[in-house]
Amino acid sequence: MKYIFMFLIKFYQKAISPFTPSTCRFYPTCSAYSLEAFQKFGVIKGAYLSIKRISKCHPFHPGGVDYVPEKIESPLKRRYKRKK
């Protein structure tokens, strides 16, 4: 499922984005941010982070550098891996 969303984002980047003016107020762009979020976190959290980021794109938000958060492994997963 995440590959479908990643394909749609890449399609947007290559087919639609070149014909629109560059007005992004963030670095990396929202499409690059969304692509990285889907790669790191999958569909559910990737979609949540993408929607959260796109909702900040308005004239009253200052913009700036906004990277995808690092994936933090839960303590339960770490404990399980050590027992193996």
Side-chain angles (χ1 to χ4, degrees):
M1 185 78 171
K2 84 175 183 178
Y3 295 108
I4 294 170
F5 287 101
M6 290 171 55
F7 170 77
L8 292 172
I9 293 168
K10 287 181 183 180
F11 174 78
Y12 167 79
Q13 287 177 334
K14 293 182 192 302
I16 298 170
S17 184
F19 298 107
T20 60
S22 178
T23 58
C24 194
R25 39 178 70 254
F26 290 102
Y27 176 82
T29 62
C30 290
S31 59
Y33 181 93
S34 297
L35 189 62
E36 186 177 347
F38 278 107
Q39 289 171 342
K40 276 188 180 180
F41 295 107
V43 174
I44 295 172
K45 189 164 183 183
Y48 168 73
L49 289 171
S50 299
I51 291 168
K52 185 177 161 186
R53 168 70 178 271
I54 292 169
S55 68
K56 294 179 188 178
C57 189
H58 55 80
F60 304 111
H61 194 280
V65 178
D66 183 21
Y67 294 113
V68 176
E70 291 296 319
K71 189 170 185 175
I72 299 172
E73 197 172 310
S74 73
L76 294 175
K77 286 184 180 178
R78 277 187 263 145
R79 190 176 305 145
Y80 178 72
K81 284 183 179 177
R82 276 191 254 149
K83 288 183 179 180
K84 283 187 174 180

